[in-house]
């Protein structure tokens, strides 16, 4: 999986081409409302931090920098002038990117602000196990049984996967590497909020047959690890969570950040037809971002670091 995604000629690091947006649709690509919501979350973090002179915005798994560009555009000039945006990505910096955006391979240490990882952890390579043994895979996707699980992976399954780590549990996806990757990203923050958004599941609802799959050109395909497609698996976000973290659905998170699918009042159609059409379009985009059975079911893991809360309190709360 690591070689297929990040090795020479890997899916995420090959030069040229449309990048991930050419193969699958994320919330970032679905609507500018998403970047606007992240901008509002950044403003809240800024207030929690006391409006520091330098406000870091770290986008982990930044793709081609689309989210950072959208957030910077959504901020008022005074706040945007204090933001230090970092795109964490293993691919080369794309041409024409906003020069304010720093392009780095790993989260910088000692940041103060918001670290945001949209659909990153599902591409952190993980081990697949079946009946207590690792699953090996050839470049053409053919699977074969490997050796028995080591103690650390057995311990992870025993704690986080229903049925424990024994041979009777069938096929499992071992999230220990994701836990470690997320812990390292959170540790790079000195103060602020770390947020991971992803396809996710919790211990009481683990998928019985696993979620490993591939995507290419907008279609789900077999997860052949030859670099021709994305290889991804859903994330056990509850196992990633640290102290004081909260988990919520994207529907809950975006609603709390002011993204609403409510249609504009019909009276606006005659008073200001252009505004009415814009309002209809925004309502449709918001509905997609918060849809049940779709993007709205994504999970947001919110981890505070040195601030009082993991999420803005509701107005009047």
């Amino acid at each position: 999986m690591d070689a297929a995604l990040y090795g020479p000629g890997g899916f995420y690091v090959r030069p040229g081409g449309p990048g991930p947006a050419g193969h699958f649709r994320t919330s970032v690509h679905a609507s500018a409302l998403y970047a606007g919501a992240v901008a509002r979350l950044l403003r809240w973090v800024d207030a929690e931090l006391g409006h520091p002179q330098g406000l870091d915005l770290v986008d982990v798994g930044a793709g081609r920098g689309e989210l950072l560009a959208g957030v910077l555009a959504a901020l008022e000039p005074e706040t945007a002038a204090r933001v230090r945006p970092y795109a964490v990505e293993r691919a080369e910096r794309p041409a024409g990117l906003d020069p304010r955006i720093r392009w780095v391979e790993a989260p910088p240490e000692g940041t103060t602000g918001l670290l945001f990882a949209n659909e990153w952890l599902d591409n952190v390579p993980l081990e697949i196990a079946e009946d207590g043994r690792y699953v090996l895979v050839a470049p053409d996707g053919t699977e074969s049984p490997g050796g028995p699980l080591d103690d650390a992976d057995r311990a992870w399954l025993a704690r986080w996967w229903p049925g424990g780590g024994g041979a009777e549990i069938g096929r499992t996806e071992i999230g220990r590497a994701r836990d470690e990757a997320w812990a390292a990203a959170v540790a790079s923050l000195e103060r602020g909020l770390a947020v991971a958004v992803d396809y996710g599941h919790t211990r009481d609802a683990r998928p019985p047959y696993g979620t490993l799959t591939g995507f290419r050109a907008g279609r789900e395909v077999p997860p052949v690890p030859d670099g021709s497609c994305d290889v991804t698996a859903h994330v056990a976000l509850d196992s990633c969570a640290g102290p004081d973290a909260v988990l919520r659905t994207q529907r809950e998170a975006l609603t709390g950040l002011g993204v609403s699918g409510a249609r504009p009042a019909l009276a606006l159609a005659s008073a200001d037809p252009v505004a009415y059409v814009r309002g209809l379009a925004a309502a449709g985009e918001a509905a997609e971002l918060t849809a049940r059975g779709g993007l709205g079911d994504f999970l947001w893991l919110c981890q505070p670091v040195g601030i009082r809360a993991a999420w803005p309190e509701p107005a009047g709360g």
Side-chain angles (χ1 to χ4, degrees):
M1 187 173 177
D2 184 71
L5 297 179
Y6 307 113
F11 180 78
Y12 280 107
V13 298
R14 64 180 59 172
H23 296 275
F24 47 84
R25 182 177 173 85
T26 73
S27 297
V28 175
H29 308 119
S31 172
L33 294 175
Y34 192 76
V38 176
R40 285 190 285 277
L41 183 59
L42 179 62
R43 291 189 193 101
W44 175 78
V45 172
D46 184 30
E48 289 293 295
L49 294 169
H51 306 288
Q53 184 175 358
L55 179 63
D56 296 310
L57 175 59
V58 183
D59 183 6
V60 185
R64 296 297 184 265
E66 301 96 332
L67 178 60
L68 286 173
V71 172
L72 289 171
L75 292 171
E76 60 281 355
E78 184 278 328
T79 303
R82 292 187 292 111
V83 170
R84 297 181 296 219
Y86 294 90
V88 181
E89 188 52 77
R90 293 170 69 172
E92 293 183 1
R93 182 187 182 99
L97 187 67
D98 188 323
R100 291 175 293 178
I101 297 174
R102 300 157 169 87
W103 197 262
V104 295
E105 292 190 1
E109 296 295 328
T111 50
T112 299
L114 175 64
L115 181 144
F116 201 86
N118 185 74
E119 293 193 46
W120 168 58
L121 286 172
D122 66 296
N123 289 128
V124 171
L126 83 170
E127 297 283 1
I128 308 295
E130 192 159 348
D131 299 330
R133 306 184 74 86
Y134 293 110
V135 173
L136 306 182
V137 61
D140 66 358
T142 301
E143 293 184 353
S144 60
L149 301 184
D150 65 27
D151 291 344
D153 285 339
R154 278 193 179 276
W156 189 92
L157 288 174
R159 180 177 182 185
W160 293 109
W161 204 271
E168 73 281 5
I169 58 177
R171 190 173 176 98
T172 59
E173 295 167 349
I174 303 171
R176 186 167 64 89
R178 274 93 179 268
D179 296 356
E180 294 170 353
W182 181 242
V186 172
S188 71
L189 263 179
E190 185 171 310
R191 288 183 67 220
L193 182 70
V195 179
V197 182
D198 235 308
Y199 302 96
H201 45 68
T202 56
R203 193 182 190 281
D204 59 352
R206 302 283 187 230
Y209 305 108
T211 60
L212 185 72
T213 190
F215 284 95
R216 182 193 303 119
R219 292 188 175 187
E220 191 169 5
V221 297
V224 177
D226 61 0
S228 67
C229 66
D230 184 25
V231 180
T232 177
H234 295 193
V235 185
L237 279 169
D238 53 340
S239 76
C240 296
D244 301 318
V246 299
L247 268 177
R248 59 193 59 221
T249 66
Q250 175 155 300
R251 184 167 47 258
E252 295 166 335
L254 291 184
T255 299
L257 292 170
V259 176
S260 171
R263 295 164 62 94
L266 189 58
L268 187 63
S270 55
D272 190 341
V274 174
Y276 181 73
V277 171
R278 283 201 302 265
L280 280 180
E285 292 172 4
E288 179 182 3
L289 290 172
T290 58
R292 296 183 186 276
L295 294 174
D297 290 343
F298 274 47
L299 293 178
W300 285 45
L301 170 60
C302 307
Q303 178 71 58
V305 179
I307 59 175
R308 64 184 177 88
W311 194 254
E313 294 180 357

